[in-house]
Amino acid sequence: MKLLRYGPVGAERPAILDAEGNMRDLSSVVPDINGDALSPESLAKIAKVDVSSLPVVQGTPRVGSAIARPGKFLCVGLNYADHARETGKEPPAEPVLFSKATTALCGPYDDVEIPRGSDRTDWEIELGIVIGSRAKYVDEADALSHVAGYALVNDVSERRFQSERGGQWIKGKSHDTFGPVGPWMVTKDEFDDIQNIDLWLDVDGDRRQTGNTKTMIFGVAHLVHYISQFMTLEAGDIIATGTPPGVGLGMKPPTFLRAGQVVTLGASGLGEQRQLMVQA
């Protein structure tokens, strides 16, 4: 199933894509695509619905973040060895964890703001894990049973804020609109192998990133297991799993985003995003 949310900011409604790619309103089944809707019981309930009986969403409404109000928006840094090296770092021995503020969340086609005072706003295409049930001290062999599905994430970053302004990375990761998620959350049953997903990102039509999740240092199951040793994961939490090489910081010379540029990105099975860069 492909679950999504549509409508104005703050007033989004839940929807599901039918076999023809039409958006069908899901409000009669669940109030939103959030933690409660992502439980195994709720997903089973949605799966039993005759999608053709649901009303078709008319027109071309805004598409919001695929997930509403996650309790946590976690990220994994340096999770592709070639990306770690392009940033001048060695591949980590354990997953590098940090957070994005949940206020960074936005829709996949929303404008992305370049923060005031920024001169190093960068792009990062990532596979996002969406948690479906509470995970605390889970074994790696059982980790995927706690996953509801997956979504495309652009982990937009301001590199100077991240690395040169003191403290932790969260300052460079959390500006409003720095977390486009979607267009859909795709339930895990639609993937034969989540560790074989192609990823790509373009800036103004020029290919900047090409990768595949098979080259992740730490795979999806290990990440869910690992993170659950340090904190409890709840339904609706999002984990962005790291980016392949090709970010602006790694270019020679480093190249960053400017207002007016357009970033497009996509992943096999997860759809595509498009963002116009604007000045905050």
PDB file of all heavy atoms in Angstrom, residues 242-256:
ATOM      1  N   GLY A 242      20.818   7.679   6.022  1.00  0.00           N
ATOM      2  CA  GLY A 242      22.102   8.086   5.472  1.00  0.00           C
ATOM      3  C   GLY A 242      22.048   8.260   3.967  1.00  0.00           C
ATOM      4  O   GLY A 242      21.137   7.777   3.300  1.00  0.00           O
ATOM      5  N   THR A 243      23.041   8.961   3.442  1.00  0.00           N
ATOM      6  CA  THR A 243      23.030   9.327   2.028  1.00  0.00           C
ATOM      7  C   THR A 243      24.234   8.763   1.283  1.00  0.00           C
ATOM      8  O   THR A 243      25.319   8.648   1.853  1.00  0.00           O
ATOM      9  CB  THR A 243      22.996  10.872   1.882  1.00  0.00           C
ATOM     10  OG1 THR A 243      22.613  11.229   0.557  1.00  0.00           O
ATOM     11  CG2 THR A 243      24.347  11.497   2.202  1.00  0.00           C
ATOM     12  N   PRO A 244      24.043   8.390   0.015  1.00  0.00           N
ATOM     13  CA  PRO A 244      25.188   7.964  -0.802  1.00  0.00           C
ATOM     14  C   PRO A 244      26.041   9.165  -1.213  1.00  0.00           C
ATOM     15  O   PRO A 244      25.673  10.317  -0.946  1.00  0.00           O
ATOM     16  CB  PRO A 244      24.519   7.297  -2.007  1.00  0.00           C
ATOM     17  CG  PRO A 244      23.178   7.953  -2.113  1.00  0.00           C
ATOM     18  CD  PRO A 244      22.774   8.272  -0.700  1.00  0.00           C
ATOM     19  N   PRO A 245      27.165   8.942  -1.890  1.00  0.00           N
ATOM     20  CA  PRO A 245      28.050  10.056  -2.254  1.00  0.00           C
ATOM     21  C   PRO A 245      27.407  10.981  -3.281  1.00  0.00           C
ATOM     22  O   PRO A 245      26.444  10.619  -3.956  1.00  0.00           O
ATOM     23  CB  PRO A 245      29.281   9.350  -2.835  1.00  0.00           C
ATOM     24  CG  PRO A 245      28.767   8.046  -3.327  1.00  0.00           C
ATOM     25  CD  PRO A 245      27.711   7.643  -2.346  1.00  0.00           C
ATOM     26  N   GLY A 246      27.971  12.190  -3.381  1.00  0.00           N
ATOM     27  CA  GLY A 246      27.510  13.157  -4.369  1.00  0.00           C
ATOM     28  C   GLY A 246      26.922  14.415  -3.770  1.00  0.00           C
ATOM     29  O   GLY A 246      26.341  15.232  -4.489  1.00  0.00           O
ATOM     30  N   VAL A 247      27.079  14.617  -2.455  1.00  0.00           N
ATOM     31  CA  VAL A 247      26.567  15.831  -1.832  1.00  0.00           C
ATOM     32  C   VAL A 247      27.439  17.017  -2.224  1.00  0.00           C
ATOM     33  O   VAL A 247      28.590  16.859  -2.659  1.00  0.00           O
ATOM     34  CB  VAL A 247      26.493  15.692  -0.296  1.00  0.00           C
ATOM     35  CG1 VAL A 247      25.562  14.547   0.087  1.00  0.00           C
ATOM     36  CG2 VAL A 247      27.871  15.491   0.318  1.00  0.00           C
ATOM     37  N   GLY A 248      26.885  18.220  -2.056  1.00  0.00           N
ATOM     38  CA  GLY A 248      27.623  19.418  -2.439  1.00  0.00           C
ATOM     39  C   GLY A 248      28.919  19.593  -1.677  1.00  0.00           C
ATOM     40  O   GLY A 248      29.922  20.071  -2.225  1.00  0.00           O
ATOM     41  N   LEU A 249      28.926  19.200  -0.397  1.00  0.00           N
ATOM     42  CA  LEU A 249      30.129  19.322   0.426  1.00  0.00           C
ATOM     43  C   LEU A 249      31.292  18.527  -0.149  1.00  0.00           C
ATOM     44  O   LEU A 249      32.454  18.915   0.002  1.00  0.00           O
ATOM     45  CB  LEU A 249      29.815  18.835   1.845  1.00  0.00           C
ATOM     46  CG  LEU A 249      30.955  18.872   2.860  1.00  0.00           C
ATOM     47  CD1 LEU A 249      31.399  20.297   3.119  1.00  0.00           C
ATOM     48  CD2 LEU A 249      30.536  18.187   4.161  1.00  0.00           C
ATOM     49  N   GLY A 250      30.976  17.419  -0.843  1.00  0.00           N
ATOM     50  CA  GLY A 250      32.023  16.558  -1.360  1.00  0.00           C
ATOM     51  C   GLY A 250      32.513  16.925  -2.747  1.00  0.00           C
ATOM     52  O   GLY A 250      33.460  16.307  -3.250  1.00  0.00           O
ATOM     53  N   MET A 251      31.882  17.915  -3.397  1.00  0.00           N
ATOM     54  CA  MET A 251      32.298  18.305  -4.734  1.00  0.00           C
ATOM     55  C   MET A 251      33.599  19.114  -4.670  1.00  0.00           C
ATOM     56  O   MET A 251      33.957  19.658  -3.625  1.00  0.00           O
ATOM     57  CB  MET A 251      31.188  19.111  -5.416  1.00  0.00           C
ATOM     58  CG  MET A 251      29.908  18.306  -5.622  1.00  0.00           C
ATOM     59  SD  MET A 251      28.593  19.265  -6.429  1.00  0.00           S
ATOM     60  CE  MET A 251      29.289  19.451  -8.079  1.00  0.00           C
ATOM     61  N   LYS A 252      34.284  19.158  -5.767  1.00  0.00           N
ATOM     62  CA  LYS A 252      35.547  19.910  -5.836  1.00  0.00           C
ATOM     63  C   LYS A 252      35.443  20.973  -6.929  1.00  0.00           C
ATOM     64  O   LYS A 252      35.482  20.623  -8.120  1.00  0.00           O
ATOM     65  CB  LYS A 252      36.705  18.947  -6.107  1.00  0.00           C
ATOM     66  CG  LYS A 252      36.871  17.890  -5.014  1.00  0.00           C
ATOM     67  CD  LYS A 252      38.115  17.069  -5.204  1.00  0.00           C
ATOM     68  CE  LYS A 252      38.219  15.951  -4.182  1.00  0.00           C
ATOM     69  NZ  LYS A 252      38.095  16.384  -2.789  1.00  0.00           N
ATOM     70  N   PRO A 253      35.287  22.246  -6.568  1.00  0.00           N
ATOM     71  CA  PRO A 253      35.171  22.737  -5.191  1.00  0.00           C
ATOM     72  C   PRO A 253      33.777  22.455  -4.624  1.00  0.00           C
ATOM     73  O   PRO A 253      32.850  22.172  -5.389  1.00  0.00           O
ATOM     74  CB  PRO A 253      35.399  24.250  -5.350  1.00  0.00           C
ATOM     75  CG  PRO A 253      34.852  24.544  -6.713  1.00  0.00           C
ATOM     76  CD  PRO A 253      35.204  23.354  -7.558  1.00  0.00           C
ATOM     77  N   PRO A 254      33.610  22.538  -3.299  1.00  0.00           N
ATOM     78  CA  PRO A 254      32.276  22.346  -2.714  1.00  0.00           C
ATOM     79  C   PRO A 254      31.264  23.295  -3.354  1.00  0.00           C
ATOM     80  O   PRO A 254      31.571  24.462  -3.641  1.00  0.00           O
ATOM     81  CB  PRO A 254      32.501  22.677  -1.236  1.00  0.00           C
ATOM     82  CG  PRO A 254      33.950  22.370  -1.002  1.00  0.00           C
ATOM     83  CD  PRO A 254      34.642  22.770  -2.273  1.00  0.00           C
ATOM     84  N   THR A 255      30.074  22.786  -3.611  1.00  0.00           N
ATOM     85  CA  THR A 255      29.034  23.536  -4.316  1.00  0.00           C
ATOM     86  C   THR A 255      27.737  23.416  -3.532  1.00  0.00           C
ATOM     87  O   THR A 255      27.318  22.300  -3.190  1.00  0.00           O
ATOM     88  CB  THR A 255      28.836  22.972  -5.736  1.00  0.00           C
ATOM     89  OG1 THR A 255      30.081  23.030  -6.432  1.00  0.00           O
ATOM     90  CG2 THR A 255      27.793  23.769  -6.509  1.00  0.00           C
ATOM     91  N   PHE A 256      27.095  24.554  -3.284  1.00  0.00           N
ATOM     92  CA  PHE A 256      25.896  24.531  -2.447  1.00  0.00           C
ATOM     93  C   PHE A 256      24.713  25.184  -3.156  1.00  0.00           C
ATOM     94  O   PHE A 256      24.854  25.788  -4.220  1.00  0.00           O
ATOM     95  CB  PHE A 256      26.195  25.210  -1.105  1.00  0.00           C
ATOM     96  CG  PHE A 256      27.297  24.520  -0.350  1.00  0.00           C
ATOM     97  CD1 PHE A 256      28.570  25.091  -0.268  1.00  0.00           C
ATOM     98  CD2 PHE A 256      27.090  23.286   0.247  1.00  0.00           C
ATOM     99  CE1 PHE A 256      29.598  24.450   0.410  1.00  0.00           C
ATOM    100  CE2 PHE A 256      28.114  22.632   0.914  1.00  0.00           C
ATOM    101  CZ  PHE A 256      29.368  23.216   1.006  1.00  0.00           C
TER     102      PHE A 256
END
